Amino acid sequence: MLARVLGFLGLSGCALPPVAVKRDELAEKVTQEELAVLFIGNSYSFGVPAAFKKLAASRGKKVRVGHSTYGGWRLEQHSKHPPTLRKLREGEWDVVVLQDFSVHPAMKERQRARVMDPAVKFFVSEARAAGAVPVLYQTWGRRDGDATVPGDNFHAMNRRVREGYQAAARNAGGVKVVSVGDAWEREYRAGRGRELFVEDGSHPSAYGDEVTAGEFYRVILGE
């Protein structure tokens, strides 16, 4: 699986236009001997820290990872959860990854802004106060789309998720977005989309975690 992801990293621009990435905030961080990355989110983030660390190690990069992740949680819940806040404030992190509940970014703009933006802005401020670079983890559309949206599918929901995270990033004053959903879409176009999910059609398989980790590696470490 790892070899396939490494190959994917080199070919990711073939199916979709490459994602433009600004590395100015990260440039100083990634030159350090060890990079410390904290993931704040829910079950979509369970396997990603370990997969990211494994991929980085395979390329000779030393990474320390941590996480505050609870199944089904929203960023708003984390913003009121003392253990999450202590871990963020006291962990000496270089990068803080923020991931909200899976359907929030796909909501209509006014509703999305109400349920998502305040917590994103809160954590962007907290991360920067702690000396870390905040990034948003753009997740993906569910395999069969949102069951509450008639005629929905992966691609339609994936587009809404992308637009939602991009809007949240702008509304928080300009935050880097790790476009994992775009990486998953490239996998779909390569005929491997169904391999990304476990049976529920929502959560990532081990291969999905590896593809996700590959996009984090590309954006954060710039290779």
Side-chain angles (χ1 to χ4, degrees), residues 142-185:
R142 294 177 178 177
R143 184 187 61 209
D144 303 313
D146 186 338
T148 68
V149 178
D152 205 23
N153 58 37
F154 166 81
H155 296 286
M157 185 176 179
N158 202 51
R159 182 188 68 251
R160 298 196 305 275
V161 171
R162 177 190 305 117
E163 293 170 351
Y165 270 106
Q166 289 174 346
R170 289 192 300 270
N171 294 342
V175 184
K176 191 181 300 297
V177 178
V178 181
S179 302
V180 171
D182 293 357
W184 281 45
E185 192 159 323

Coordinates of all heavy atoms in Angstrom, one line a residue, residues 142-185:
R142 N -18.8 11.5 1.2 CA -19.1 10.1 1.4 C -19.3 9.3 0.2 O -19.6 9.9 -0.9 CB -20.3 9.9 2.3 CG -20.1 10.5 3.7 CD -21.3 10.5 4.6 NE -21.0 11.0 5.9 CZ -21.9 11.2 6.9 NH1 -23.2 10.8 6.7 NH2 -21.5 11.7 8.1
R143 N -19.0 8.0 0.2 CA -19.0 7.2 -1.0 C -20.3 7.4 -1.8 O -20.2 7.5 -3.1 CB -18.8 5.7 -0.6 CG -18.7 4.8 -1.8 CD -18.7 3.3 -1.3 NE -20.0 3.0 -0.6 CZ -20.1 2.1 0.4 NH1 -19.0 1.5 0.8 NH2 -21.3 2.0 1.0
D144 N -21.4 7.4 -1.2 CA -22.7 7.6 -1.8 C -23.3 8.9 -1.6 O -24.5 9.1 -1.8 CB -23.7 6.5 -1.4 CG -23.1 5.1 -1.6 OD1 -22.5 4.8 -2.7 OD2 -23.1 4.3 -0.7
G145 N -22.5 9.9 -1.2 CA -23.0 11.2 -0.9 C -23.7 11.3 0.4 O -23.8 10.3 1.2
D146 N -24.3 12.4 0.7 CA -25.1 12.6 1.9 C -26.5 12.1 1.7 O -27.2 12.5 0.8 CB -25.2 14.1 2.2 CG -25.8 14.5 3.5 OD1 -26.6 13.6 4.1 OD2 -25.6 15.6 4.0
A147 N -26.9 11.1 2.6 CA -28.1 10.4 2.5 C -29.3 11.3 2.6 O -30.4 11.0 2.1 CB -28.2 9.3 3.5
T148 N -29.1 12.5 3.2 CA -30.2 13.5 3.4 C -30.4 14.4 2.1 O -31.4 15.2 2.1 CB -30.0 14.3 4.6 OG1 -28.9 15.2 4.4 CG2 -29.8 13.5 5.8
V149 N -29.5 14.3 1.2 CA -29.6 15.1 0.0 C -30.0 14.3 -1.2 O -29.2 13.4 -1.7 CB -28.2 15.8 -0.3 CG1 -28.3 16.6 -1.6 CG2 -27.8 16.6 0.9
P150 N -31.2 14.5 -1.8 CA -31.6 13.6 -2.9 C -30.7 13.7 -4.1 O -30.2 14.7 -4.5 CB -33.0 14.3 -3.3 CG -33.4 14.9 -2.0 CD -32.2 15.4 -1.4
G151 N -30.3 12.5 -4.6 CA -29.5 12.4 -5.8 C -28.0 12.7 -5.5 O -27.3 12.8 -6.5
D152 N -27.6 12.7 -4.3 CA -26.2 13.1 -4.0 C -25.3 12.0 -4.3 O -25.7 10.8 -4.5 CB -26.1 13.5 -2.5 CG -24.9 14.4 -2.2 OD1 -24.5 15.1 -3.2 OD2 -24.5 14.4 -1.1
N153 N -24.0 12.3 -4.5 CA -23.0 11.3 -4.7 C -21.7 11.8 -4.2 O -21.6 12.9 -3.7 CB -22.9 10.9 -6.2 CG -22.6 12.1 -7.1 OD1 -21.8 13.0 -6.7 ND2 -23.2 12.1 -8.3
F154 N -20.6 11.0 -4.3 CA -19.3 11.3 -3.8 C -18.8 12.7 -4.4 O -18.4 13.6 -3.6 CB -18.3 10.3 -4.1 CG -16.9 10.7 -3.9 CD1 -16.3 10.7 -2.6 CD2 -16.1 11.2 -4.9 CE1 -15.0 11.2 -2.4 CE2 -14.8 11.6 -4.7 CZ -14.2 11.6 -3.5
H155 N -18.9 12.8 -5.7 CA -18.3 14.0 -6.3 C -19.0 15.3 -5.9 O -18.4 16.3 -5.7 CB -18.3 13.8 -7.8 CG -17.4 12.7 -8.3 ND1 -16.0 12.8 -8.3 CD2 -17.7 11.4 -8.7 CE1 -15.5 11.6 -8.7 NE2 -16.5 10.8 -8.9
A156 N -20.4 15.2 -5.9 CA -21.1 16.4 -5.5 C -20.9 16.8 -4.1 O -20.7 18.0 -3.8 CB -22.6 16.2 -5.7
M157 N -20.9 15.8 -3.2 CA -20.6 16.1 -1.8 C -19.2 16.6 -1.6 O -18.9 17.5 -0.8 CB -20.9 14.9 -0.9 CG -20.7 15.3 0.6 SD -21.2 13.9 1.7 CE -20.9 14.6 3.3
N158 N -18.2 16.0 -2.3 CA -16.8 16.3 -2.2 C -16.6 17.8 -2.6 O -15.8 18.5 -2.0 CB -16.0 15.4 -3.1 CG -14.5 15.4 -2.6 OD1 -14.2 15.2 -1.5 ND2 -13.6 15.6 -3.6
R159 N -17.3 18.2 -3.6 CA -17.3 19.6 -4.1 C -17.7 20.6 -3.0 O -17.1 21.6 -2.7 CB -18.1 19.8 -5.3 CG -18.0 21.3 -5.9 CD -19.0 21.5 -7.0 NE -20.3 21.5 -6.6 CZ -21.2 20.6 -6.8 NH1 -20.9 19.5 -7.6 NH2 -22.5 20.7 -6.3
R160 N -18.8 20.2 -2.3 CA -19.4 21.1 -1.3 C -18.4 21.1 -0.1 O -18.2 22.2 0.6 CB -20.8 20.6 -0.8 CG -21.8 20.6 -1.9 CD -23.2 20.5 -1.3 NE -23.4 19.3 -0.5 CZ -23.7 18.1 -1.0 NH1 -23.9 17.9 -2.3 NH2 -23.9 17.1 -0.2
V161 N -17.8 20.0 0.3 CA -16.9 19.9 1.4 C -15.7 20.8 1.1 O -15.2 21.6 1.9 CB -16.4 18.5 1.7 CG1 -15.2 18.5 2.6 CG2 -17.6 17.7 2.2
R162 N -15.2 20.8 -0.2 CA -14.1 21.6 -0.6 C -14.4 23.1 -0.4 O -13.7 23.9 0.1 CB -13.7 21.3 -2.0 CG -12.6 22.2 -2.6 CD -12.4 22.0 -4.1 NE -12.2 20.6 -4.5 CZ -13.1 19.9 -5.2 NH1 -14.2 20.5 -5.7 NH2 -12.8 18.7 -5.5
E163 N -15.6 23.5 -1.0 CA -16.0 24.9 -0.9 C -16.2 25.3 0.5 O -15.9 26.5 0.9 CB -17.3 25.0 -1.7 CG -17.1 24.8 -3.2 CD -18.4 24.8 -4.0 OE1 -19.5 24.7 -3.4 OE2 -18.3 24.8 -5.2
G164 N -16.7 24.4 1.4 CA -16.9 24.8 2.8 C -15.6 25.0 3.5 O -15.5 26.0 4.3
Y165 N -14.6 24.2 3.3 CA -13.3 24.4 4.0 C -12.6 25.6 3.5 O -12.0 26.4 4.2 CB -12.5 23.2 3.9 CG -12.7 22.2 5.0 CD1 -13.4 21.0 4.8 CD2 -12.2 22.5 6.3 CE1 -13.6 20.1 5.9 CE2 -12.4 21.6 7.3 CZ -13.1 20.4 7.1 OH -13.3 19.6 8.2
Q166 N -12.7 25.9 2.2 CA -12.1 27.1 1.6 C -12.7 28.3 2.2 O -12.0 29.3 2.5 CB -12.2 27.0 0.1 CG -11.3 26.0 -0.6 CD -11.5 25.8 -2.0 OE1 -12.4 26.3 -2.6 NE2 -10.5 25.2 -2.7
A167 N -14.1 28.3 2.3 CA -14.7 29.5 2.9 C -14.3 29.7 4.3 O -14.1 30.8 4.8 CB -16.3 29.3 2.7
A168 N -14.3 28.6 5.1 CA -13.9 28.7 6.5 C -12.5 29.2 6.6 O -12.2 30.0 7.5 CB -14.0 27.3 7.2
A169 N -11.6 28.8 5.7 CA -10.2 29.3 5.7 C -10.2 30.8 5.5 O -9.4 31.5 6.2 CB -9.4 28.5 4.7
R170 N -10.9 31.2 4.5 CA -10.9 32.7 4.2 C -11.5 33.5 5.4 O -11.0 34.5 5.8 CB -11.8 32.9 2.9 CG -11.2 32.5 1.6 CD -11.9 33.1 0.5 NE -13.3 32.6 0.4 CZ -13.8 31.5 -0.2 NH1 -12.9 30.7 -0.8 NH2 -15.1 31.2 -0.1
N171 N -12.6 32.9 5.9 CA -13.3 33.7 7.0 C -12.5 33.7 8.3 O -12.7 34.5 9.2 CB -14.7 33.0 7.3 CG -15.6 33.2 6.1 OD1 -15.4 34.1 5.2 ND2 -16.7 32.4 6.1
A172 N -11.5 32.8 8.4 CA -10.6 32.8 9.6 C -9.4 33.7 9.4 O -8.5 33.7 10.2 CB -10.2 31.4 9.9
G173 N -9.4 34.4 8.3 CA -8.3 35.4 8.0 C -7.2 34.8 7.1 O -6.2 35.5 7.0
G174 N -7.4 33.7 6.5 CA -6.4 33.1 5.6 C -5.7 32.0 6.3 O -4.7 32.2 7.1
V175 N -6.1 30.7 6.1 CA -5.5 29.6 6.7 C -5.2 28.5 5.6 O -6.0 28.4 4.7 CB -6.5 28.9 7.7 CG1 -5.8 27.7 8.4 CG2 -6.9 30.0 8.8
K176 N -4.1 27.9 5.7 CA -3.7 26.8 4.8 C -4.7 25.7 4.9 O -5.1 25.3 6.0 CB -2.3 26.3 5.1 CG -1.7 25.4 4.0 CD -0.4 24.9 4.3 CE 0.6 26.1 4.5 NZ 0.8 26.9 3.3
V177 N -5.1 25.1 3.7 CA -6.0 24.0 3.6 C -5.2 22.8 3.1 O -4.6 22.9 2.0 CB -7.2 24.3 2.8 CG1 -8.1 23.1 2.7 CG2 -8.0 25.5 3.4
V178 N -5.3 21.6 3.8 CA -4.8 20.4 3.2 C -5.9 19.7 2.5 O -6.8 19.2 3.1 CB -4.2 19.5 4.4 CG1 -3.6 18.2 3.8 CG2 -3.1 20.3 5.1
S179 N -5.8 19.7 1.2 CA -7.0 19.3 0.3 C -7.1 17.8 0.2 O -6.9 17.3 -1.0 CB -6.9 20.0 -1.0 OG -6.9 21.4 -0.8
V180 N -7.3 17.1 1.2 CA -7.4 15.6 1.2 C -8.5 15.2 0.3 O -8.3 14.2 -0.5 CB -7.6 15.1 2.6 CG1 -7.9 13.6 2.6 CG2 -6.3 15.3 3.5
G181 N -9.7 15.8 0.3 CA -10.7 15.4 -0.6 C -10.4 15.5 -2.1 O -10.8 14.6 -2.9
D182 N -9.5 16.4 -2.5 CA -9.0 16.5 -3.8 C -8.1 15.2 -4.1 O -8.2 14.7 -5.2 CB -8.2 17.7 -4.1 CG -9.1 19.0 -4.0 OD1 -10.3 18.9 -3.8 OD2 -8.5 20.1 -4.1
A183 N -7.3 14.8 -3.2 CA -6.5 13.6 -3.3 C -7.4 12.4 -3.5 O -7.1 11.5 -4.3 CB -5.5 13.5 -2.2
W184 N -8.5 12.3 -2.7 CA -9.4 11.2 -2.9 C -10.1 11.2 -4.2 O -10.3 10.2 -4.9 CB -10.4 11.3 -1.7 CG -9.9 10.7 -0.4 CD1 -8.7 11.0 0.2 CD2 -10.6 9.8 0.4 NE1 -8.6 10.4 1.4 CE2 -9.8 9.6 1.6 CE3 -11.9 9.2 0.4 CZ2 -10.1 8.8 2.6 CZ3 -12.2 8.4 1.5 CH2 -11.4 8.2 2.6
E185 N -10.4 12.4 -4.7 CA -11.0 12.5 -6.0 C -10.0 12.0 -7.1 O -10.5 11.4 -8.1 CB -11.4 13.9 -6.3 CG -12.3 14.1 -7.5 CD -13.2 15.3 -7.5 OE1 -13.6 15.8 -6.4 OE2 -13.4 15.9 -8.6

